[in-house]
Amino acid sequence: RAVRRKVWELSESLLRAASAKAAEFHFTAIAVSKNFRGSPHVDKNDISVQYALSLGDFDEGGGKLCVEEGPFAVRAVDTRGRLACLDG
């Protein structure tokens, strides 16, 4: 429980310090993963923006989050060591 609380507090501090927009963001959940490789999917419960940050050592091209911009367009957002704000 103490570790979860610390991760929550660190995440909140990072978000609050990132920007004025991020400081106003009300979040209710965070996800922490290691060596995660996702698959295409739709987050049906998204009701607001998401913030993403990747930390660590990556193979060439790693640390990116792929986001669908349209029916035939996907964008790879670089989140390696930087906080990215995504809507959708």
Side-chain angles (χ1 to χ4, degrees), residues 6-41:
K6 186 67 174 172
V7 169
W8 186 273
E9 290 169 354
L10 288 170
S11 300
E12 187 173 41
S13 294
L14 173 69
L15 195 59
R16 301 293 173 241
S19 71
K21 180 180 177 182
E24 296 296 320
F25 186 71
H26 175 73
F27 64 97
T28 57
I30 61 171
V32 177
S33 59
K34 181 177 181 181
N35 298 329
F36 178 76
R37 178 171 287 214
S39 58
H41 66 280

Side-chain angles (χ1 to χ4, degrees), residues 7 12 14 18 20 26 29 31 37 50-51 53 66 70 80 83:
V7 169
E12 187 173 41
L14 173 69
H26 175 73
R37 178 171 287 214
Q50 295 179 21
Y51 287 89
L53 169 70
C66 295
R80 292 175 294 179
L83 190 65

Side-chain angles (χ1 to χ4, degrees), residues 24-88:
E24 296 296 320
F25 186 71
H26 175 73
F27 64 97
T28 57
I30 61 171
V32 177
S33 59
K34 181 177 181 181
N35 298 329
F36 178 76
R37 178 171 287 214
S39 58
H41 66 280
V42 175
D43 290 328
K44 294 181 181 181
N45 294 323
D46 281 354
I47 58 172
S48 184
V49 298
Q50 295 179 21
Y51 287 89
L53 169 70
S54 298
L55 302 172
D57 297 323
F58 297 95
D59 292 336
E60 182 69 29
K64 295 180 181 172
L65 181 64
C66 295
V67 180
E68 184 178 313
E69 290 188 326
F72 304 104
V74 174
R75 177 184 213 175
V77 179
D78 190 357
T79 61
R80 292 175 294 179
R82 61 179 75 167
L83 190 65
C85 180
L86 307 152
D87 190 2

